[in-house]
Amino acid sequence: MLTYQDYLELGENLDDSKKMRFVQSVIFDHKSSKLYTDAVDAEEYYKGLNVTAVKFEKMLRTATGREVPDNFSPNHKTTRGFFRIFVDQLNQHLLGNGITWGQDSTADALGGDFDVQLQKLGRMAQIGAVSFGFWNLDHVDCFKVTEFAPLLDEQTGALRAGIRFWQIDNTKPLRATFYEEDGYTEYIWDYRDETSAEGTVLSPKRPYKVIVGTSEERGTEIIDGENYPGFPIIPLWANESHISELAAIRTKIDAYDLMNNGFLNDLDSAQIFWLIKGAGGMDDEDLVRFLERINMLKIVDAEDGQDVQPVTVDIPHEAREKILDRLERDLYKDAMALDLSEIKSGNVVKAQIEAAYEPLNTKSDAYEYCILDFVSHLLEIAGIDDEPTFTRSMISNKSEEINTVLAGAQYLPSEYITKKILTILGDADQIDDVLDMMAQDEMDRFAIQQDTTQEEENTQTEEEDGDA
C-alpha cells in the first residue's frame, strides 16, 4: 500500500501532472486492497444481500463427469439480515440517546446534527472496519472507507493525508479531493474526453478556513486563510483489531443462508427418484437423456416391457431445523448481540434483562473506547475543551423500577422521586413542568389551609363574643 512517506519521496514543489498521477495511483491501490474489498462485501451484507448465497449456483454432474448448471430444480437465494441487526443494535445501544456534554455550548459548536453524524460514522466503521470524520469548520462530514483512501505514516500509523474520490461508473468522470495538512486540492479525470484523460485541476490548493472578500472590480475572492492545528480528518475504527465486524461471523451467516436455501429448494421440489424396470439396455447417457426429458417435458416415454415409477423420499426437516436454530444462537453469541427471544416472554425481572444485556454491554465497552478516541481528537482539532458521556439505550421493566423507587420514597425528597419516575417513563423533558405544577399545587394547598384556619379562628371569636 502507498503511504505518506511515498508521497514525501516525490519531493517538494511537484507539478500538477506528477501529483495527479500519484493521486490516481493511491486510489487504484486502495481499491485493490483487502480493506476496500472486504468493505464492499460488508456493505452488501448490511443491505441484506449475502454475496456468497447470491453467487451460489446449483450444479449437476453429467454421465461424462462434466458439471453443468442445474436448470431443472429450484435455486432460492433468500438471505437473513443478521449483519444489519448486529450493527444497528450495537450502534444504537451506545449512541442512540446521543452524547451528553459537560458544557451546553459544546453541542452547538459541533453542529446541530453531530449526534446523527456520529451514529452514521459508527455504522460505517462497523461495516467497513473504519470511517473518517472531516471537521469542516463548524460541522462533521462523514467519509466511508469505500470512498476515502488514507495515507498513513509508516512510523506512527497516524493519518497524515487522504483522498476522497467518487465515480458513478468506470466510463464516467472520476472526481477526487486530495486532503493534506496545509489544505486541499480538487481534481477530475474525464475518461470520455481524451484531452482530459490525464486529469485536470478543478480547484488549486486552498486552506481549510478562508476569509472571502467581495468588490465590484474583482468580485468574490479569497483574501486570507488558515489551517487547523492538525490534520482535520480523523479515523474512527470499529474495534482494536481494525477489521469489519462482519469478519468473525461471515462464515456462519453463509452457512445459515446456504442451508436455509437448500431446505427451501428441497421443500419446493419433492425428492423424487425414478425406478425403471426393463431398461437393461440403457447406458448412463441414455438415463441422463431420459431424466432430462422428464424434467423438461414432464412426459415419460416408456418402451414395451418397461415400467417407470417415481419413488419419493421424505425430507429430513427436523435435523435441518435444529441446525438452523443452533446457527442462529451461535451467531448472536459470536456477535455478542442481544437475543430478544430470551426476554420477550412473560414478566421478565430486571436481573434477567441485565443478564441478557451483558454480552452487548461488554462489546459496547470496547466500542466506546473507539468512539472516545475519535471524539477526543475531534475536540482537539475543533479547539473545544469538554468530555462526553453516554447513556445506553436499554429495554427495562418499568413497573419494577418504579416500585423500587417508590419503596424508598419515605427516605428521599419528593423532587428526587419525581425526577426518577419521569426519567424511567421516558418523560425527562417534562421534569421542569411537573415540578412547577407540584410547587403550584403545594402553594394552593397552603393557601386553602390558611383560609380554613382563618375561618376557624373567626368562628371561635364570634362564639366567645356571644358567650360574653
Side-chain angles (χ1 to χ4, degrees):
M1 63 178 292
L2 294 173
T3 65
Y4 186 68
Q5 276 70 21
D6 292 323
Y7 175 54
L8 295 180
E9 288 178 1
L10 298 178
E12 298 181 358
N13 302 320
L14 286 176
D15 59 44
D16 290 333
S17 61
K18 289 183 179 180
K19 198 169 184 179
M20 282 187 287
R21 281 197 295 271
F22 177 77
V23 169
Q24 265 188 315
S25 299
V26 172
I27 294 173
F28 296 150
D29 179 71
H30 177 64
K31 293 179 74 172
S32 64
S33 68
K34 181 174 173 55
L35 178 67
Y36 179 91
T37 54
D38 286 351
V40 170
D41 284 352
E43 287 181 357
E44 294 300 305
Y45 276 80
Y46 182 78
K47 296 174 185 176
L49 303 175
N50 183 324
V51 175
T52 305
V54 170
K55 292 181 179 179
F56 177 76
E57 293 293 339
K58 295 179 65 177
M59 305 297 289
L60 291 175
R61 189 176 296 277
T62 66
T64 60
R66 185 169 60 92
E67 285 191 345
V68 296
D70 181 2
N71 298 320
F72 304 109
S73 60
N75 186 17
H76 291 290
K77 296 183 179 182
T78 63
T79 59
R80 286 283 303 273
F82 286 115
F83 187 49
R84 188 186 188 105
I85 292 172
F86 299 152
V87 168
D88 290 348
Q89 188 180 98
L90 175 61
N91 206 47
Q92 297 308 113
H93 178 59
L94 181 64
L95 304 175
N97 291 321
I99 288 181
T100 302
W101 298 101
Q103 304 173 24
D104 295 336
S105 59
T106 302
D108 294 331
L110 291 175
D113 64 342
F114 176 72
D115 287 328
V116 175
Q117 297 303 317
L118 186 59
Q119 291 178 32
K120 186 177 179 181
L121 282 167
R123 182 170 62 253
M124 290 176 178
Q126 289 186 68
I127 295 171
V130 64
S131 61
F132 303 90
F134 170 39
W135 176 241
N136 193 357
L137 189 61
D138 59 359
H139 67 280
V140 174
D141 290 329
C142 307
F143 301 157
K144 298 187 295 184
V145 72
T146 53
E147 65 181 6
F148 185 83
L151 284 172
L152 305 178
D153 191 301
E154 295 177 7
Q155 305 299 325
T156 65
L159 181 64
R160 298 291 301 277
I163 301 159
R164 189 192 183 196
F165 58 92
W166 59 99
Q167 186 179 23
I168 297 176
D169 185 79
N170 290 333
T171 61
K172 299 298 186 288
L174 169 66
R175 288 282 304 273
T177 303
F178 188 15
Y179 294 94
E180 302 176 71
E181 292 178 346
D182 59 345
Y184 63 97
T185 313
E186 296 182 76
Y187 303 99
I188 185 171
W189 292 263
D190 191 349
Y191 298 110
R192 298 171 300 182
D193 184 358
E194 294 182 0
T195 60
S196 61
E198 291 297 319
T200 305
V201 178
L202 274 180
S203 176
K205 182 183 285 189
R206 61 165 59 182
Y208 291 101
K209 295 186 286 185
V210 297
I211 300 174
V212 178
T214 304
S215 64
E216 294 182 0
E217 296 80 8
R218 298 184 178 181
T220 301
E221 61 179 349
I222 298 175
I223 299 175
D224 195 5
E226 61 177 318
N227 293 301
Y228 297 102
F231 188 53
I233 299 179
I234 304 128
L236 169 58
W237 292 96
N239 47 62
E240 292 186 354
S241 300
H242 292 188
I243 58 175
S244 168
E245 288 295 324
L246 177 66
I249 58 175
R250 179 171 180 171
T251 54
K252 280 191 173 65
I253 293 177
D254 291 345
Y256 183 97
D257 287 340
L258 291 172
M259 181 168 291
N260 190 48
N261 287 333
F263 196 5
L264 291 173
N265 293 334
D266 289 344
L267 291 174
D268 203 16
S269 63
Q271 296 282 339
I272 299 176
F273 297 90
W274 292 92
L275 178 62
I276 306 176
K277 297 180 180 179
M282 297 176 67
D283 57 19
D284 289 344
E285 292 187 9
D286 293 330
L287 292 173
V288 169
R289 283 195 295 269
F290 172 80
L291 183 59
E292 288 177 348
R293 183 179 180 85
I294 292 177
N295 288 327
M296 293 179 63
L297 303 179
K298 309 299 181 183
I299 296 174
V300 176
D301 185 12
E303 298 180 2
D304 293 339
Q306 288 184 341
D307 182 17
V308 181
Q309 295 180 357
V311 178
T312 58
V313 179
D314 292 335
I315 300 172
H317 63 91
E318 292 184 0
R320 298 190 187 187
E321 288 177 348
K322 288 182 179 179
I323 194 62
L324 286 173
D325 289 340
R326 179 175 177 178
L327 281 171
E328 184 169 350
R329 290 195 303 270
D330 288 347
L331 273 168
Y332 274 90
K333 289 179 181 178
D334 291 348
M336 302 179 71
L338 171 66
D339 188 354
L340 292 176
S341 63
E342 297 182 6
I343 59 175
K344 69 180 181 181
S345 59
N347 185 25
V348 183
V349 298
K350 183 179 180 181
Q352 290 174 288
I353 296 174
E354 291 178 348
Y357 265 101
E358 188 57 30
L360 181 58
N361 278 324
T362 301
K363 189 171 185 178
S364 295
D365 290 340
Y367 182 44
E368 185 174 330
Y369 282 115
C370 298
I371 298 292
L372 287 172
D373 182 65
F374 169 82
V375 172
S376 64
H377 284 86
L378 176 65
L379 294 179
E380 183 179 352
I381 295 295
I384 300 173
D385 184 15
D386 205 342
E387 292 186 3
T389 55
F390 303 90
T391 302
R392 298 185 181 181
S393 178
M394 296 180 64
I395 299 172
S396 63
N397 186 328
K398 294 184 179 180
S399 60
E400 182 184 9
E401 293 188 18
I402 290 174
N403 289 334
T404 302
V405 173
L406 293 176
Q410 58 181 323
Y411 308 107
L412 299 169
S414 60
E415 182 175 334
Y416 174 81
I417 297 297
T418 302
K419 289 181 177 179
K420 290 291 291 184
I421 292 177
L422 288 175
T423 301
I424 293 171
L425 294 175
D427 296 327
D429 57 330
Q430 300 183 26
I431 288 177
D432 292 338
D433 294 337
V434 173
L435 291 177
D436 290 341
M437 287 189 289
M438 291 175 61
Q440 184 62 46
D441 289 343
E442 185 67 25
M443 292 176 62
D444 293 342
R445 284 195 297 271
F446 180 76
I448 293 172
Q449 184 178 5
Q450 289 291 98
D451 293 341
T452 302
T453 302
Q454 186 63 44
E455 289 179 1
E456 291 176 351
E457 291 178 353
N458 293 339
T459 301
Q460 184 177 2
T461 301
E462 291 175 358
E463 291 177 350
E464 291 176 353
D465 291 344
D467 293 340

PDB file of all heavy atoms in Angstrom, residues 309-335:
ATOM      1  N   GLN A 309     -41.630 -45.840 -12.595  1.00  0.00           N
ATOM      2  CA  GLN A 309     -42.371 -45.420 -11.411  1.00  0.00           C
ATOM      3  C   GLN A 309     -41.537 -44.408 -10.619  1.00  0.00           C
ATOM      4  O   GLN A 309     -40.329 -44.605 -10.436  1.00  0.00           O
ATOM      5  CB  GLN A 309     -42.692 -46.623 -10.517  1.00  0.00           C
ATOM      6  CG  GLN A 309     -43.625 -47.637 -11.135  1.00  0.00           C
ATOM      7  CD  GLN A 309     -43.890 -48.797 -10.200  1.00  0.00           C
ATOM      8  OE1 GLN A 309     -43.330 -48.863  -9.097  1.00  0.00           O
ATOM      9  NE2 GLN A 309     -44.741 -49.725 -10.638  1.00  0.00           N
ATOM     10  N   PRO A 310     -42.180 -43.334 -10.126  1.00  0.00           N
ATOM     11  CA  PRO A 310     -41.464 -42.390  -9.257  1.00  0.00           C
ATOM     12  C   PRO A 310     -41.422 -42.901  -7.818  1.00  0.00           C
ATOM     13  O   PRO A 310     -42.370 -43.522  -7.339  1.00  0.00           O
ATOM     14  CB  PRO A 310     -42.313 -41.117  -9.360  1.00  0.00           C
ATOM     15  CG  PRO A 310     -43.700 -41.623  -9.617  1.00  0.00           C
ATOM     16  CD  PRO A 310     -43.547 -42.876 -10.442  1.00  0.00           C
ATOM     17  N   VAL A 311     -40.324 -42.647  -7.162  1.00  0.00           N
ATOM     18  CA  VAL A 311     -40.166 -43.011  -5.756  1.00  0.00           C
ATOM     19  C   VAL A 311     -39.829 -41.744  -4.979  1.00  0.00           C
ATOM     20  O   VAL A 311     -38.829 -41.075  -5.276  1.00  0.00           O
ATOM     21  CB  VAL A 311     -39.044 -44.055  -5.567  1.00  0.00           C
ATOM     22  CG1 VAL A 311     -38.882 -44.377  -4.085  1.00  0.00           C
ATOM     23  CG2 VAL A 311     -39.340 -45.294  -6.366  1.00  0.00           C
ATOM     24  N   THR A 312     -40.653 -41.362  -4.035  1.00  0.00           N
ATOM     25  CA  THR A 312     -40.431 -40.140  -3.247  1.00  0.00           C
ATOM     26  C   THR A 312     -39.740 -40.484  -1.936  1.00  0.00           C
ATOM     27  O   THR A 312     -39.936 -41.565  -1.371  1.00  0.00           O
ATOM     28  CB  THR A 312     -41.757 -39.429  -2.954  1.00  0.00           C
ATOM     29  OG1 THR A 312     -42.625 -40.326  -2.244  1.00  0.00           O
ATOM     30  CG2 THR A 312     -42.425 -38.992  -4.255  1.00  0.00           C
ATOM     31  N   VAL A 313     -38.961 -39.532  -1.462  1.00  0.00           N
ATOM     32  CA  VAL A 313     -38.199 -39.703  -0.219  1.00  0.00           C
ATOM     33  C   VAL A 313     -38.555 -38.558   0.718  1.00  0.00           C
ATOM     34  O   VAL A 313     -38.598 -37.395   0.311  1.00  0.00           O
ATOM     35  CB  VAL A 313     -36.679 -39.711  -0.490  1.00  0.00           C
ATOM     36  CG1 VAL A 313     -35.911 -39.852   0.812  1.00  0.00           C
ATOM     37  CG2 VAL A 313     -36.328 -40.833  -1.449  1.00  0.00           C
ATOM     38  N   ASP A 314     -38.856 -38.872   1.967  1.00  0.00           N
ATOM     39  CA  ASP A 314     -39.176 -37.844   2.954  1.00  0.00           C
ATOM     40  C   ASP A 314     -37.965 -36.945   3.217  1.00  0.00           C
ATOM     41  O   ASP A 314     -36.829 -37.436   3.335  1.00  0.00           O
ATOM     42  CB  ASP A 314     -39.627 -38.482   4.266  1.00  0.00           C
ATOM     43  CG  ASP A 314     -40.976 -39.173   4.123  1.00  0.00           C
ATOM     44  OD1 ASP A 314     -41.738 -38.781   3.222  1.00  0.00           O
ATOM     45  OD2 ASP A 314     -41.235 -40.111   4.904  1.00  0.00           O
ATOM     46  N   ILE A 315     -38.222 -35.647   3.321  1.00  0.00           N
ATOM     47  CA  ILE A 315     -37.139 -34.686   3.568  1.00  0.00           C
ATOM     48  C   ILE A 315     -36.814 -34.663   5.061  1.00  0.00           C
ATOM     49  O   ILE A 315     -37.718 -34.493   5.891  1.00  0.00           O
ATOM     50  CB  ILE A 315     -37.568 -33.281   3.104  1.00  0.00           C
ATOM     51  CG1 ILE A 315     -37.873 -33.305   1.604  1.00  0.00           C
ATOM     52  CG2 ILE A 315     -36.498 -32.247   3.427  1.00  0.00           C
ATOM     53  CD1 ILE A 315     -38.480 -32.027   1.093  1.00  0.00           C
ATOM     54  N   PRO A 316     -35.552 -34.820   5.435  1.00  0.00           N
ATOM     55  CA  PRO A 316     -35.176 -34.805   6.867  1.00  0.00           C
ATOM     56  C   PRO A 316     -35.203 -33.380   7.426  1.00  0.00           C
ATOM     57  O   PRO A 316     -34.165 -32.733   7.579  1.00  0.00           O
ATOM     58  CB  PRO A 316     -33.756 -35.378   6.845  1.00  0.00           C
ATOM     59  CG  PRO A 316     -33.225 -35.008   5.494  1.00  0.00           C
ATOM     60  CD  PRO A 316     -34.391 -35.059   4.559  1.00  0.00           C
ATOM     61  N   HIS A 317     -36.400 -32.874   7.727  1.00  0.00           N
ATOM     62  CA  HIS A 317     -36.545 -31.463   8.114  1.00  0.00           C
ATOM     63  C   HIS A 317     -36.168 -31.195   9.562  1.00  0.00           C
ATOM     64  O   HIS A 317     -35.682 -30.106   9.900  1.00  0.00           O
ATOM     65  CB  HIS A 317     -37.984 -31.002   7.858  1.00  0.00           C
ATOM     66  CG  HIS A 317     -39.001 -31.734   8.688  1.00  0.00           C
ATOM     67  ND1 HIS A 317     -39.404 -31.293   9.923  1.00  0.00           N
ATOM     68  CD2 HIS A 317     -39.671 -32.891   8.454  1.00  0.00           C
ATOM     69  CE1 HIS A 317     -40.295 -32.130  10.418  1.00  0.00           C
ATOM     70  NE2 HIS A 317     -40.478 -33.119   9.543  1.00  0.00           N
ATOM     71  N   GLU A 318     -36.374 -32.171  10.455  1.00  0.00           N
ATOM     72  CA  GLU A 318     -36.122 -31.913  11.873  1.00  0.00           C
ATOM     73  C   GLU A 318     -34.656 -31.588  12.133  1.00  0.00           C
ATOM     74  O   GLU A 318     -34.331 -30.654  12.872  1.00  0.00           O
ATOM     75  CB  GLU A 318     -36.562 -33.111  12.714  1.00  0.00           C
ATOM     76  CG  GLU A 318     -38.068 -33.330  12.724  1.00  0.00           C
ATOM     77  CD  GLU A 318     -38.463 -34.469  13.643  1.00  0.00           C
ATOM     78  OE1 GLU A 318     -37.546 -35.076  14.253  1.00  0.00           O
ATOM     79  OE2 GLU A 318     -39.669 -34.750  13.752  1.00  0.00           O
ATOM     80  N   ALA A 319     -33.764 -32.373  11.527  1.00  0.00           N
ATOM     81  CA  ALA A 319     -32.333 -32.138  11.732  1.00  0.00           C
ATOM     82  C   ALA A 319     -31.926 -30.772  11.193  1.00  0.00           C
ATOM     83  O   ALA A 319     -31.121 -30.055  11.805  1.00  0.00           O
ATOM     84  CB  ALA A 319     -31.519 -33.233  11.063  1.00  0.00           C
ATOM     85  N   ARG A 320     -32.492 -30.387  10.030  1.00  0.00           N
ATOM     86  CA  ARG A 320     -32.138 -29.098   9.448  1.00  0.00           C
ATOM     87  C   ARG A 320     -32.668 -27.938  10.302  1.00  0.00           C
ATOM     88  O   ARG A 320     -31.991 -26.926  10.467  1.00  0.00           O
ATOM     89  CB  ARG A 320     -32.695 -29.000   8.032  1.00  0.00           C
ATOM     90  CG  ARG A 320     -32.118 -30.044   7.089  1.00  0.00           C
ATOM     91  CD  ARG A 320     -32.501 -29.766   5.657  1.00  0.00           C
ATOM     92  NE  ARG A 320     -32.098 -30.858   4.779  1.00  0.00           N
ATOM     93  CZ  ARG A 320     -32.202 -30.813   3.466  1.00  0.00           C
ATOM     94  NH1 ARG A 320     -32.708 -29.751   2.880  1.00  0.00           N
ATOM     95  NH2 ARG A 320     -31.809 -31.835   2.725  1.00  0.00           N
ATOM     96  N   GLU A 321     -33.876 -28.083  10.826  1.00  0.00           N
ATOM     97  CA  GLU A 321     -34.422 -27.025  11.679  1.00  0.00           C
ATOM     98  C   GLU A 321     -33.573 -26.852  12.940  1.00  0.00           C
ATOM     99  O   GLU A 321     -33.339 -25.728  13.396  1.00  0.00           O
ATOM    100  CB  GLU A 321     -35.863 -27.356  12.049  1.00  0.00           C
ATOM    101  CG  GLU A 321     -36.836 -27.207  10.881  1.00  0.00           C
ATOM    102  CD  GLU A 321     -38.241 -27.604  11.256  1.00  0.00           C
ATOM    103  OE1 GLU A 321     -38.411 -28.214  12.337  1.00  0.00           O
ATOM    104  OE2 GLU A 321     -39.170 -27.320  10.474  1.00  0.00           O
ATOM    105  N   LYS A 322     -33.097 -27.952  13.478  1.00  0.00           N
ATOM    106  CA  LYS A 322     -32.266 -27.866  14.682  1.00  0.00           C
ATOM    107  C   LYS A 322     -30.933 -27.179  14.404  1.00  0.00           C
ATOM    108  O   LYS A 322     -30.476 -26.354  15.188  1.00  0.00           O
ATOM    109  CB  LYS A 322     -32.033 -29.268  15.254  1.00  0.00           C
ATOM    110  CG  LYS A 322     -33.258 -29.869  15.915  1.00  0.00           C
ATOM    111  CD  LYS A 322     -32.947 -31.244  16.503  1.00  0.00           C
ATOM    112  CE  LYS A 322     -34.182 -31.830  17.189  1.00  0.00           C
ATOM    113  NZ  LYS A 322     -33.897 -33.192  17.756  1.00  0.00           N
ATOM    114  N   ILE A 323     -30.318 -27.519  13.267  1.00  0.00           N
ATOM    115  CA  ILE A 323     -29.020 -26.904  12.973  1.00  0.00           C
ATOM    116  C   ILE A 323     -29.185 -25.433  12.626  1.00  0.00           C
ATOM    117  O   ILE A 323     -28.325 -24.600  12.951  1.00  0.00           O
ATOM    118  CB  ILE A 323     -28.294 -27.668  11.848  1.00  0.00           C
ATOM    119  CG1 ILE A 323     -26.824 -27.240  11.785  1.00  0.00           C
ATOM    120  CG2 ILE A 323     -28.963 -27.446  10.513  1.00  0.00           C
ATOM    121  CD1 ILE A 323     -26.026 -27.535  13.009  1.00  0.00           C
ATOM    122  N   LEU A 324     -30.324 -25.063  12.001  1.00  0.00           N
ATOM    123  CA  LEU A 324     -30.582 -23.650  11.717  1.00  0.00           C
ATOM    124  C   LEU A 324     -30.772 -22.869  13.025  1.00  0.00           C
ATOM    125  O   LEU A 324     -30.255 -21.753  13.175  1.00  0.00           O
ATOM    126  CB  LEU A 324     -31.808 -23.494  10.821  1.00  0.00           C
ATOM    127  CG  LEU A 324     -31.630 -23.869   9.346  1.00  0.00           C
ATOM    128  CD1 LEU A 324     -32.969 -23.830   8.619  1.00  0.00           C
ATOM    129  CD2 LEU A 324     -30.633 -22.932   8.662  1.00  0.00           C
ATOM    130  N   ASP A 325     -31.505 -23.451  13.962  1.00  0.00           N
ATOM    131  CA  ASP A 325     -31.682 -22.804  15.275  1.00  0.00           C
ATOM    132  C   ASP A 325     -30.340 -22.658  15.991  1.00  0.00           C
ATOM    133  O   ASP A 325     -30.064 -21.621  16.612  1.00  0.00           O
ATOM    134  CB  ASP A 325     -32.648 -23.620  16.139  1.00  0.00           C
ATOM    135  CG  ASP A 325     -34.084 -23.537  15.642  1.00  0.00           C
ATOM    136  OD1 ASP A 325     -34.388 -22.578  14.893  1.00  0.00           O
ATOM    137  OD2 ASP A 325     -34.892 -24.419  16.007  1.00  0.00           O
ATOM    138  N   ARG A 326     -29.522 -23.691  15.899  1.00  0.00           N
ATOM    139  CA  ARG A 326     -28.218 -23.638  16.566  1.00  0.00           C
ATOM    140  C   ARG A 326     -27.322 -22.580  15.931  1.00  0.00           C
ATOM    141  O   ARG A 326     -26.630 -21.838  16.636  1.00  0.00           O
ATOM    142  CB  ARG A 326     -27.539 -25.008  16.491  1.00  0.00           C
ATOM    143  CG  ARG A 326     -26.170 -25.022  17.129  1.00  0.00           C
ATOM    144  CD  ARG A 326     -25.576 -26.405  17.148  1.00  0.00           C
ATOM    145  NE  ARG A 326     -24.237 -26.390  17.710  1.00  0.00           N
ATOM    146  CZ  ARG A 326     -23.494 -27.476  17.880  1.00  0.00           C
ATOM    147  NH1 ARG A 326     -23.977 -28.664  17.546  1.00  0.00           N
ATOM    148  NH2 ARG A 326     -22.287 -27.377  18.391  1.00  0.00           N
ATOM    149  N   LEU A 327     -27.313 -22.507  14.587  1.00  0.00           N
ATOM    150  CA  LEU A 327     -26.513 -21.487  13.908  1.00  0.00           C
ATOM    151  C   LEU A 327     -26.961 -20.085  14.303  1.00  0.00           C
ATOM    152  O   LEU A 327     -26.128 -19.193  14.502  1.00  0.00           O
ATOM    153  CB  LEU A 327     -26.617 -21.668  12.396  1.00  0.00           C
ATOM    154  CG  LEU A 327     -25.753 -22.762  11.765  1.00  0.00           C
ATOM    155  CD1 LEU A 327     -26.137 -22.952  10.292  1.00  0.00           C
ATOM    156  CD2 LEU A 327     -24.270 -22.426  11.892  1.00  0.00           C
ATOM    157  N   GLU A 328     -28.275 -19.890  14.424  1.00  0.00           N
ATOM    158  CA  GLU A 328     -28.778 -18.566  14.811  1.00  0.00           C
ATOM    159  C   GLU A 328     -28.334 -18.203  16.219  1.00  0.00           C
ATOM    160  O   GLU A 328     -27.914 -17.073  16.480  1.00  0.00           O
ATOM    161  CB  GLU A 328     -30.302 -18.539  14.705  1.00  0.00           C
ATOM    162  CG  GLU A 328     -30.898 -17.170  14.991  1.00  0.00           C
ATOM    163  CD  GLU A 328     -32.369 -17.083  14.625  1.00  0.00           C
ATOM    164  OE1 GLU A 328     -32.885 -18.011  13.974  1.00  0.00           O
ATOM    165  OE2 GLU A 328     -33.005 -16.075  15.003  1.00  0.00           O
ATOM    166  N   ARG A 329     -28.423 -19.156  17.144  1.00  0.00           N
ATOM    167  CA  ARG A 329     -27.968 -18.889  18.514  1.00  0.00           C
ATOM    168  C   ARG A 329     -26.469 -18.602  18.539  1.00  0.00           C
ATOM    169  O   ARG A 329     -26.012 -17.690  19.242  1.00  0.00           O
ATOM    170  CB  ARG A 329     -28.297 -20.082  19.423  1.00  0.00           C
ATOM    171  CG  ARG A 329     -29.771 -20.256  19.706  1.00  0.00           C
ATOM    172  CD  ARG A 329     -29.982 -21.205  20.886  1.00  0.00           C
ATOM    173  NE  ARG A 329     -29.367 -22.508  20.653  1.00  0.00           N
ATOM    174  CZ  ARG A 329     -29.988 -23.535  20.069  1.00  0.00           C
ATOM    175  NH1 ARG A 329     -31.233 -23.396  19.649  1.00  0.00           N
ATOM    176  NH2 ARG A 329     -29.373 -24.687  19.907  1.00  0.00           N
ATOM    177  N   ASP A 330     -25.710 -19.364  17.772  1.00  0.00           N
ATOM    178  CA  ASP A 330     -24.261 -19.152  17.730  1.00  0.00           C
ATOM    179  C   ASP A 330     -23.919 -17.776  17.145  1.00  0.00           C
ATOM    180  O   ASP A 330     -22.959 -17.131  17.579  1.00  0.00           O
ATOM    181  CB  ASP A 330     -23.583 -20.250  16.905  1.00  0.00           C
ATOM    182  CG  ASP A 330     -23.565 -21.590  17.628  1.00  0.00           C
ATOM    183  OD1 ASP A 330     -23.843 -21.593  18.847  1.00  0.00           O
ATOM    184  OD2 ASP A 330     -23.273 -22.609  16.983  1.00  0.00           O
ATOM    185  N   LEU A 331     -24.681 -17.345  16.160  1.00  0.00           N
ATOM    186  CA  LEU A 331     -24.444 -16.029  15.564  1.00  0.00           C
ATOM    187  C   LEU A 331     -24.636 -14.928  16.596  1.00  0.00           C
ATOM    188  O   LEU A 331     -23.816 -14.001  16.693  1.00  0.00           O
ATOM    189  CB  LEU A 331     -25.391 -15.814  14.380  1.00  0.00           C
ATOM    190  CG  LEU A 331     -24.915 -16.337  13.029  1.00  0.00           C
ATOM    191  CD1 LEU A 331     -26.046 -16.328  12.004  1.00  0.00           C
ATOM    192  CD2 LEU A 331     -23.754 -15.491  12.516  1.00  0.00           C
ATOM    193  N   TYR A 332     -25.688 -15.002  17.372  1.00  0.00           N
ATOM    194  CA  TYR A 332     -25.925 -13.990  18.406  1.00  0.00           C
ATOM    195  C   TYR A 332     -24.828 -14.016  19.473  1.00  0.00           C
ATOM    196  O   TYR A 332     -24.398 -12.968  19.974  1.00  0.00           O
ATOM    197  CB  TYR A 332     -27.294 -14.191  19.051  1.00  0.00           C
ATOM    198  CG  TYR A 332     -28.416 -13.503  18.305  1.00  0.00           C
ATOM    199  CD1 TYR A 332     -29.107 -14.147  17.299  1.00  0.00           C
ATOM    200  CD2 TYR A 332     -28.757 -12.179  18.605  1.00  0.00           C
ATOM    201  CE1 TYR A 332     -30.124 -13.509  16.606  1.00  0.00           C
ATOM    202  CE2 TYR A 332     -29.778 -11.534  17.917  1.00  0.00           C
ATOM    203  CZ  TYR A 332     -30.458 -12.206  16.921  1.00  0.00           C
ATOM    204  OH  TYR A 332     -31.463 -11.560  16.235  1.00  0.00           O
ATOM    205  N   LYS A 333     -24.353 -15.219  19.802  1.00  0.00           N
ATOM    206  CA  LYS A 333     -23.285 -15.324  20.800  1.00  0.00           C
ATOM    207  C   LYS A 333     -21.980 -14.758  20.261  1.00  0.00           C
ATOM    208  O   LYS A 333     -21.284 -14.002  20.947  1.00  0.00           O
ATOM    209  CB  LYS A 333     -23.097 -16.781  21.219  1.00  0.00           C
ATOM    210  CG  LYS A 333     -24.245 -17.334  22.061  1.00  0.00           C
ATOM    211  CD  LYS A 333     -24.005 -18.789  22.429  1.00  0.00           C
ATOM    212  CE  LYS A 333     -25.161 -19.349  23.262  1.00  0.00           C
ATOM    213  NZ  LYS A 333     -24.948 -20.771  23.587  1.00  0.00           N
ATOM    214  N   ASP A 334     -21.623 -15.130  19.034  1.00  0.00           N
ATOM    215  CA  ASP A 334     -20.362 -14.656  18.454  1.00  0.00           C
ATOM    216  C   ASP A 334     -20.388 -13.147  18.224  1.00  0.00           C
ATOM    217  O   ASP A 334     -19.359 -12.481  18.357  1.00  0.00           O
ATOM    218  CB  ASP A 334     -20.092 -15.373  17.129  1.00  0.00           C
ATOM    219  CG  ASP A 334     -19.761 -16.837  17.322  1.00  0.00           C
ATOM    220  OD1 ASP A 334     -19.529 -17.229  18.488  1.00  0.00           O
ATOM    221  OD2 ASP A 334     -19.732 -17.586  16.328  1.00  0.00           O
ATOM    222  N   ALA A 335     -21.556 -12.608  17.863  1.00  0.00           N
ATOM    223  CA  ALA A 335     -21.678 -11.164  17.647  1.00  0.00           C
ATOM    224  C   ALA A 335     -21.873 -10.406  18.955  1.00  0.00           C
ATOM    225  O   ALA A 335     -21.880  -9.168  18.958  1.00  0.00           O
ATOM    226  CB  ALA A 335     -22.847 -10.868  16.710  1.00  0.00           C
TER     227      ALA A 335
END
